[in-house]
Amino acid sequence: MNKKNLLIGSALVLAALLVVGGTMAWFTAAADPVTNTFKAGTVEIELHDVQMGDNEEETTFPTAGISNVNPGDEYDKIVYVENTGSKAIYVRVKLTPAWTKGEGSLPLQVEEVDMATFPIVGTDWVLHTDGWYYYTEPLAGAVVDVANAVTTHLIEKVKFAGAAMTNDYQGATFTLKVEAEAIQASNGAAVDQWGVDPSTLAITP
């Protein structure tokens, strides 16, 4: 057998071995796929603006307001906030008073006497320099802890000045605009969006 035939024969044997090796199977395995779910929580609030009824039950503050107000009168106006979402939150409330008569406005004070007052009665509320009242404790999510999902009352009354209220206020209208906002209590969101950390605000006795 010459060298040429020997090389051809060797090549054929090698090719046969490669074919046989290609049909051999390796041991393999695959794990079952895993899908992780992350569902976002919710930030939702309800602003309660109510009066106390005769049977000591809350009733909605009249949407048409109260008419025929006299100097010296006072009326229930209870304001607080409830967390109706799933996440712990911080809340803040702004109270904006105004007196109007016809097309014009009247001053809130006459000789340093407020023509209408709304005393802050709730604990854990702090008036910040930006004009908002911050609730310094986070409210728990309603689905987690219903008992701790509500603030204390911010105000409970609106009182009108007595003898100090001049005739200029006859026929005038007093409005108290109430705004409420909430933000998640986690990850520094309040500082980022409001520039305030409610938990660090000092409560004045």
Side-chain angles (χ1 to χ4, degrees):
M1 181 180 294
N2 57 33
K3 290 183 178 181
K4 183 177 181 180
N5 290 335
L6 180 60
L7 290 173
I8 292 173
S10 298
L12 291 174
V13 171
L14 179 60
L17 289 173
L18 290 174
V19 171
V20 172
T23 61
M24 295 176 65
W26 296 96
F27 288 169
T28 61
D32 292 335
V34 175
T35 301
N36 298 122
T37 300
F38 298 86
K39 185 175 182 180
T42 57
V43 174
E44 298 175 332
I45 58 172
E46 181 177 353
L47 173 61
H48 292 268
D49 182 21
V50 298
Q51 291 184 312
M52 194 62 69
D54 295 335
N55 55 357
E56 296 301 309
E57 292 184 359
E58 292 180 358
T59 59
T60 303
F61 195 87
T63 56
I66 296 174
S67 301
N68 208 29
V69 173
N70 297 300
D73 284 353
E74 68 175 49
Y75 298 91
D76 286 347
K77 183 176 176 65
I78 301 169
V79 172
Y80 64 97
V81 179
E82 179 181 0
N83 183 2
T84 57
S86 66
K87 294 191 62 62
I89 59 172
Y90 282 117
V91 299
R92 64 181 185 176
V93 173
K94 179 179 283 188
L95 303 174
T96 306
W99 279 100
T100 57
K101 187 173 183 179
E103 298 298 322
S105 61
L106 294 172
L108 296 174
Q109 292 184 331
V110 175
E111 296 182 354
E112 299 185 355
V113 176
D114 291 318
M115 294 298 96
T117 58
F118 35 93
I120 306 304
V121 298
T123 57
D124 298 318
W125 290 100
V126 175
L127 177 60
H128 193 48
T129 54
D130 59 7
W132 288 87
Y133 289 91
Y134 288 84
Y135 199 66
T136 59
E137 295 293 328
L139 295 184
V143 298
V144 177
D145 186 359
V146 175
N148 292 304
V150 180
T151 69
T152 57
H153 294 172
L154 176 59
I155 64 172
E156 294 180 345
K157 300 281 185 182
V158 173
K159 301 179 180 181
F160 292 92
M165 185 175 286
T166 68
N167 283 332
D168 291 339
Y169 289 82
Q170 287 199 55
T173 299
F174 176 74
T175 58
L176 183 59
K177 182 180 179 181
V178 183
E179 303 170 80
E181 294 183 353
I183 197 166
Q184 68 183 59
S186 59
N187 300 324
V191 175
D192 182 63
Q193 292 297 310
W194 294 344
V196 176
D197 181 351
S199 68
T200 65
L201 297 178
I203 299 173
T204 303

